[in-house]
Amino acid sequence: MAWLILITAALLEVIWAVALERSDGLTRLWPSVAALTIANTSLVLLSFALRDLPVGTAYALWTGLGAVGVVTAGIVLLDESVSPVRLACIGLVLLGLMGLRIVE
C-alpha cells in the first residue's frame, strides 16, 4: 500500500507543478489555490508512505517520478522542447529510479 501512496504523491507533484506554472507567479487565484493545496496533499501522502518505506528511496522516487512527469507534461501540454538528448535524460532518471526500487 505504501508504494501506491507514494506513486499517487508523485502524480500529484506533476499536477501541482503544472498548476503552479498556470498561476503566473501565484498571481492567479484558482491555479494558486490548486497548486498549494495539491502540493500539501502530495507532501502528506509522502509522509504516510514513509511509515513503511526507507526515506532515501521514497524521497528519490517521489521527486524523480514527479520530475519525469513534469517534464513529460511540459512537452505534451505546454509545448516545451523535445529532443533525443532530453528524452535520453528522462530515460536515465527512470533507470536510476528502477535501480533504487530493485535494491530497496
Side-chain angles (χ1 to χ4, degrees):
M1 187 63 151
W3 286 108
L4 180 60
I5 292 170
L6 183 62
I7 290 169
T8 302
L11 291 174
L12 290 176
E13 286 283 293
V14 177
I15 297 168
W16 81 255
V18 172
L20 188 64
E21 189 275 334
R22 301 283 186 188
S23 77
D24 196 27
L26 298 177
T27 61
R28 296 179 59 217
L29 178 62
W30 294 115
S32 299
V33 169
L36 296 172
T37 302
I38 295 167
N40 187 54
T41 303
S42 178
L43 188 61
V44 168
L45 289 176
L46 172 63
S47 73
F48 290 158
L50 288 176
R51 291 177 180 170
D52 297 315
L53 301 174
V55 67
T57 302
Y59 185 76
L61 284 163
W62 180 62
T63 58
L65 290 174
V68 167
V70 171
V71 170
T72 303
I75 291 169
V76 173
L77 301 173
L78 305 173
D79 283 333
E80 292 182 3
S81 66
V82 61
S83 69
V85 172
R86 195 167 192 204
L87 295 175
C89 290
I90 293 170
L92 288 172
V93 171
L94 289 172
L95 187 62
L97 295 175
M98 287 187 290
L100 284 174
R101 172 63 177 105
I102 290 168
V103 299
E104 177 211 308

